[in-house]
Amino acid sequence: MARVSVTLASERDAELHLSYQVRGPSWSPSYRAHLDSSRAQVRLERLALVAQASGEDWQSVPLVLSTGQPSRSSSSSLPRPWRLDLAPAVPPTPAPAAPAMARLAAAPKVAMFEASSEASAPSFEPTVLDSAYATRFQLPQRVDLPSGGARLTLTLEQHLLEAQLLTRVVPAQEEAAYLVAQWPLPAGIWPSANVALYRDGALVGQGQLDSEQLARQGLSFGR
């Protein structure tokens, strides 16, 4: 327990609030993606795994989660000097004959499914504040979080998103075809984390949700 004594000179009574940072509490993101292949829609759930080892049990406390990393370094390494010199002259070599152009194989047609505009409102959402550097989630209810590192799973928000469905095959490696979904992530900061993948109500596996990889390659939802 820390005791702080504060002496103020004020003409009237006032409330003083003190805040401080401790190293024990932490949270890690996790996701669940539910694909409805008949409607080409993905219900994306953002989860939080919260734990704290501050040495004091938290009873009915308000909780605000942020994707910011206060312990992360704010500076980069200094550049090292590059030394340049003139390369020695190289005698020209005769250009090789141009090879015959190979016939390009026709690209396989990508199977796409028509998306529906139906959307259902999420069942639970905390107050979300997006900024250029972090996304903050303020939970509307108070939580109990014992000390010792036990994880508490919280649902932060859900989004119903229109997806583009593709059929991807690699004949040189495998005969099977896989269903791939691509969709744009909503606004905010989406840290890379594990995602549980569900297809038409069945769990098909685990993946990694990364914004750049999702836009470039999508996520595979099984054969």
Side-chain angles (χ1 to χ4, degrees):
M1 175 181 292
R3 177 172 297 178
V4 179
S5 299
V6 180
T7 303
L8 297 176
S10 176
E11 297 180 356
R12 60 180 61 90
D13 293 339
E15 292 185 0
L16 179 65
H17 298 272
L18 301 178
S19 62
Y20 57 93
Q21 180 178 333
V22 295
R23 295 182 177 273
S26 65
W27 76 281
S28 58
S30 179
Y31 306 102
R32 282 198 293 253
H34 301 260
L35 173 64
D36 186 345
S37 61
S38 62
R39 298 185 178 182
Q41 291 180 337
V42 172
R43 178 164 55 88
L44 182 61
E45 298 182 47
R46 188 200 291 255
L47 308 175
L49 304 178
V50 186
Q52 63 100 1
S54 62
E56 180 182 3
D57 293 339
W58 293 359
Q59 300 292 335
S60 186
V61 296
L63 196 61
V64 178
L65 304 177
S66 173
T67 59
Q69 302 180 27
S71 60
R72 187 176 183 178
S73 176
S74 60
S75 62
S76 63
S77 57
L78 296 177
R80 293 180 295 178
W82 289 4
R83 302 186 181 276
L84 305 179
D85 200 355
L86 296 177
V90 179
T93 57
M101 181 177 297
R103 179 176 299 176
L104 298 178
K109 294 184 178 181
V110 178
M112 300 179 59
F113 297 84
E114 184 179 0
S116 173
S117 59
E118 298 180 2
S120 59
S123 58
F124 172 82
E125 282 190 3
T127 302
V128 182
L129 177 61
D130 290 323
S131 66
Y133 304 101
T135 299
R136 290 163 53 93
F137 303 91
Q138 182 174 356
L139 272 67
Q141 79 280 11
R142 294 174 176 263
V143 299
D144 296 336
L145 194 61
S147 180
R151 288 188 173 185
L152 176 65
T153 302
L154 302 174
T155 300
L156 298 181
E157 59 179 350
Q158 300 184 30
H159 296 274
L160 190 62
L161 306 169
E162 304 294 333
Q164 182 184 23
L165 301 185
L166 312 172
T167 301
R168 180 173 295 161
V169 294
V170 185
Q173 300 180 6
E174 191 177 4
E175 295 181 356
Y178 290 85
L179 182 62
V180 177
Q182 291 179 293
W183 65 88
L185 288 175
I189 307 299
W190 293 81
S192 298
N194 292 333
V195 54
L197 302 172
Y198 294 81
R199 175 179 170 183
D200 299 326
L203 178 64
V204 295
Q206 301 284 332
Q208 186 77 12
L209 183 66
D210 181 86
S211 57
E212 295 183 0
Q213 183 177 1
L214 179 62
R216 186 175 62 254
Q217 301 179 359
L219 279 174
S220 179
F221 284 81
R223 297 191 178 190

